[in-house]
Amino acid sequence: MLTWTIHLEGGPKRVNHAAVAIGARIFSFGGYCNGEDYETTRPMDVHVLNTVTLRWTLLSPPAEEEASTTPYQRYGHTAVEYGGMAYIWGGRNDSKGACKLLFRFDGATLSWDKPHVTGPIPEARDGHSACIINDRMYIFAGYEEFTDRFSNDVSYLDLKTFEWVPLRILGKPARWRDFHTTTAIGTTMYVFGGRCDVGGDQFTNNEIYCNRIMSFDTLTNTWTRLTSTNAPSGRRSHSAFEYKGQIYIFGGYNGVREIHYNDLHCLDPGQWLKLAAPGNYPSPRRRQCACVVGSKVYLFGGTGPGDKTQSTGQPDADLIDRSDLFVLDFEPSLKTLASLVILKHNLDRECLPHDLRWELAAMSTDNTISRLHTTNG
């Protein structure tokens, strides 16, 4: 039974970051937090979550001689995992603007390099999406810095030859947009949400939040608008992930309705299902990260209204940047389910084994545990 299980406070406070899972560790790259300086080009920070111990570690900054191969701190970028490596592309910094250089992070050596690429590189942008299909990193949409417009083009980077290839597409393409999600299943990528504009590729501040789902067949380079029922409200800056061939989305924000969401939906063939997963669920938020490891989804960070019960009408000035971690378990153990029952009914915990008491503490909103260890390593 799909269940929210763990809730921990005290992790890295990050918004609009990007993250990947490599083995049993999750690597979170960059992002921002209100009050920090983004006028400088300091090296991108990397926080690592051990999903076994649930401990965070902040990696040491690279040596000065490695600065040329290390991305500067940014937000609105993408990160994908391929062959034990994380590939970082795009994003922006308040000083440097948007970037179109490719950076690679080795999950084993914890080191950066900058692969040499060929072919026409997509325009520098942020708010785009990226996914891996058949040894290729596909990039879609985002907001282009140089042309000052929304994009709806598709390019891929061949991760064997490191050649960029722009695609000529068939079918009616998805609208120009940014801060949407792209989810790969087989050879098809599925696009949901994002911020569009009545001006098409031009930003006129008349936003559109579409809830249609579009598919892009990478074998034929063809766009198709899928028919579905019970679609969730249009939104941007949400999370999307795949589990056993199905697409799930969580949270996000609708700027027209001024609503932050914390709902969970699943796309079953032909219809969306709104899921009521039990447990301690996250507060309404946007610009968080979600990574799947095994049968668990680790969701962390983002920003949202201060009151957990208040999801509407909150101006940005009243948003709180989050430092929490939630675990959504698709296949919770009997021990975990029993722990939730004990917690729900406030049963006596003193007679329980130590490991079960720790698990209960991690699940409890009244007994959350700080697991941020900013040791370098």
Side-chain angles (χ1 to χ4, degrees):
M1 179 177 64
L2 183 63
T3 305
W4 291 103
T5 55
I6 302 297
H7 170 207
L8 296 176
E9 295 284 352
K13 188 177 289 187
R14 280 290 170 261
V15 178
N16 217 352
H17 43 313
V20 300
I22 301 177
R25 293 184 294 177
I26 291 174
F27 294 83
S28 176
F29 301 96
Y32 68 85
C33 175
N34 286 324
E36 291 187 355
D37 176 21
Y38 293 95
E39 293 293 338
T40 61
T41 53
R42 60 186 173 88
M44 175 180 284
D45 57 29
V46 182
H47 290 88
V48 186
L49 175 67
N50 183 320
T51 61
V52 177
T53 64
L54 298 180
R55 293 180 181 272
W56 285 101
T57 301
L58 176 62
L59 298 187
S60 300
E64 187 174 340
E65 59 270 18
E66 299 171 337
S68 63
T69 58
T70 303
Y72 55 78
Q73 184 74 352
R74 65 191 64 192
Y75 51 89
H77 50 294
T78 53
V80 296
E81 186 275 336
Y82 177 80
M85 306 280 190
Y87 290 86
I88 311 296
W89 193 81
R92 68 169 53 251
N93 176 287
D94 292 346
S95 174
K96 286 287 189 179
C99 177
K100 62 178 181 178
L101 299 177
L102 177 72
F103 294 89
R104 177 171 57 188
F105 179 84
D106 190 318
T109 64
L110 308 182
S111 60
W112 290 99
D113 73 329
K114 189 166 61 176
H116 173 71
V117 300
T118 60
I121 302 173
E123 289 288 346
R125 67 191 68 190
D126 71 323
H128 56 289
S129 61
C131 65
I132 297 290
I133 297 177
N134 288 344
D135 306 315
R136 297 171 176 177
M137 179 178 73
Y138 283 83
I139 297 292
F140 170 65
Y143 199 85
E144 297 180 2
E145 167 118 337
F146 180 74
T147 58
D148 195 24
R149 71 180 186 97
F150 291 103
S151 169
N152 72 340
D153 59 18
V154 183
S155 297
Y156 72 76
L157 176 69
D158 189 316
L159 292 173
K160 290 188 176 295
T161 65
F162 289 97
E163 179 186 9
W164 281 104
V165 179
L167 295 181
R168 292 186 176 181
I169 58 95
L170 301 173
K172 185 177 181 179
R175 291 182 64 95
W176 304 269
R177 68 188 68 198
D178 64 0
F179 295 107
H180 53 287
T181 53
T182 295
T183 309
I185 299 179
T187 58
T188 302
M189 66 181 196
Y190 297 87
V191 174
F192 178 80
R195 177 181 60 175
C196 308
D197 196 286
V198 296
D201 63 341
Q202 300 298 313
F203 180 70
T204 67
N205 206 28
N206 293 299
E207 298 177 354
I208 299 173
Y209 289 87
C210 178
N211 65 350
R212 300 169 185 163
I213 189 159
M214 300 285 292
S215 70
F216 183 77
D217 186 331
T218 61
L219 298 181
T220 63
N221 295 336
T222 302
W223 281 107
T224 302
R225 176 183 171 183
L226 301 185
T227 301
S228 60
T229 59
N230 302 319
S233 301
R235 63 195 66 196
R236 65 175 168 93
S237 306
H238 51 287
S239 296
F241 49 90
E242 178 268 339
Y243 184 74
K244 292 188 175 180
Q246 292 185 313
I247 298 172
Y248 296 80
I249 67 165
F250 169 83
Y253 176 71
N254 184 304
V256 174
R257 301 175 63 187
E258 294 188 327
I259 295 178
H260 285 83
Y261 298 99
N262 65 341
D263 49 357
L264 180 66
H265 298 261
C266 172
L267 180 61
D268 219 13
Q271 67 173 333
W272 285 97
L273 302 174
K274 185 174 182 179
L275 305 178
N280 184 21
Y281 57 91
S283 58
R285 66 187 64 200
R286 57 175 153 159
R287 296 179 175 176
Q288 66 280 347
C289 277
C291 292
V292 179
V293 178
S295 63
K296 297 181 176 67
V297 182
Y298 296 81
L299 187 144
F300 54 95
T303 189
D307 185 349
K308 182 174 179 178
T309 63
Q310 179 84 296
S311 62
T312 63
Q314 294 288 329
D316 284 355
D318 294 333
L319 299 179
I320 294 179
D321 297 342
R322 303 295 181 179
S323 60
D324 47 14
L325 168 71
F326 291 83
V327 178
L328 179 65
D329 197 335
F330 281 92
E331 302 174 15
S333 66
L334 288 175
K335 185 179 81 170
T336 296
L337 293 175
S339 300
L340 288 170
V341 171
I342 294 169
L343 182 63
K344 179 179 179 181
H345 296 285
N346 198 27
L347 302 178
D348 185 13
R349 310 176 196 179
E350 295 305 316
C351 60
L352 299 174
H354 177 75
D355 62 335
L356 189 53
R357 273 184 278 166
W358 184 91
E359 186 168 357
L360 284 167
M363 293 175 180
S364 171
T365 55
D366 299 323
N367 241 338
T368 51
I369 305 171
S370 174
R371 288 280 170 184
L372 175 62
H373 290 249
T374 54
T375 54
N376 297 323

